Amino acid sequence: MNERLLGVLRAPLVSEKTARLQEANQYVFEIAQAATKADVKAAVEQLFDVQVEAVNVVTIKGKTKAFRSRLGTRGNRRKAYVRLREGQTIDVMAKA
C-alpha cells in the first residue's frame, strides 16, 4: 500500500496562482492519471503528516500542436488542489 501511495503524488506545482492559494491553506500537486481523491488524501496525510480537509481533482487535456507540418498531441495531466485543516502547513519550497 505504501508503494502505491508514493506513486500518487508526482510533484508540487509552484506558480503565482499556487502561491496565492497557499495563503488560504491550499496546495497544488501534480498527480498520477489513475489516482483518486482518497488516494491523494491518504498520500498527503502520510507523507507530510498533516490533516486534509478537502481534495479537488482536475484533468487538463493535452494540446494539439504542430511541428514541421505534423500534428501531435501533448499528454493529459492531472492536478489536485488539497486544502488542509486550520493550523496545518506544508513546506513545498524545502531544499533537499
Side-chain angles (χ1 to χ4, degrees), residues 1-21:
M1 184 69 174
N2 288 340
E3 296 145 6
R4 186 166 189 270
L5 290 180
L6 290 175
V8 169
L9 298 180
R10 298 284 167 91
L13 295 178
V14 180
S15 66
E16 288 182 29
K17 180 180 179 180
T18 60
R20 276 186 263 127
L21 287 174

Side-chain angles (χ1 to χ4, degrees), residues 23-87:
E23 295 171 4
N25 218 19
Q26 274 191 324
Y27 298 88
V28 184
F29 295 95
E30 185 174 342
I31 61 172
Q33 287 288 334
T36 63
K37 287 183 179 186
D39 293 339
V40 172
K41 180 178 179 178
V44 170
E45 286 180 345
Q46 182 180 357
L47 290 174
F48 298 107
D49 195 30
V50 293
Q51 293 180 337
V52 174
E53 186 175 305
V55 176
N56 294 328
V57 177
V58 178
T59 301
I60 302 165
K61 302 293 183 191
K63 292 181 179 180
T64 301
K65 301 293 256 181
F67 178 71
R68 291 192 180 186
S69 70
R70 292 181 186 225
L71 290 177
T73 305
R74 292 183 180 172
N76 296 341
R77 293 183 357 198
R78 288 188 84 195
K79 61 183 178 179
Y81 290 86
V82 178
R83 184 177 24 203
L84 303 180
R85 293 215 170 130
E86 201 63 37

